[in-house]
Amino acid sequence: DPEEPLIVKKDFINQIGHMYALGVDYNISNKTSIHLRTKYMDHKDKNFTLDKFSGFETTLELKIFL
């Protein structure tokens, strides 16, 4: 209905998150290297209480340049 007043929601985004990371690089030769990375992260949204998570992620990468 065009005569109804416009309602504007004034909810604010209320999220917080952290991330901590550590990594190691090792050169096997001039053209080959290995990279190990691990990180911890957490996230919390106060407006959506089920939207929270935390955990680790670890990657191992081998780079070979031709």
Side-chain angles (χ1 to χ4, degrees), residues 1-2 10 13-14 17 19 21 25 27 34 37 43-44 46 58 65:
D1 185 13
K10 293 186 179 181
I13 296 174
N14 196 0
M19 183 174 64
D25 298 339
N27 291 329
I34 192 166
R37 304 274 187 265
H43 174 83
K44 191 184 304 183
K46 293 185 179 182
T58 302
F65 299 96

Side-chain angles (χ1 to χ4, degrees), residues 12-59:
F12 295 99
I13 296 174
N14 196 0
Q15 302 173 349
I16 189 163
H18 303 93
M19 183 174 64
Y20 305 97
L22 181 67
V24 176
D25 298 339
Y26 180 73
N27 291 329
I28 298 171
S29 69
N30 285 343
K31 295 185 176 185
T32 306
S33 60
I34 192 166
H35 307 271
L36 176 65
R37 304 274 187 265
T38 187
K39 64 182 173 182
Y40 171 79
M41 62 195 107
D42 66 7
H43 174 83
K44 191 184 304 183
D45 189 335
K46 293 185 179 182
N47 292 327
F48 300 98
T49 57
L50 295 178
D51 189 12
K52 64 179 179 178
F53 59 85
S54 65
F56 286 92
E57 176 182 289
T58 302
T59 59

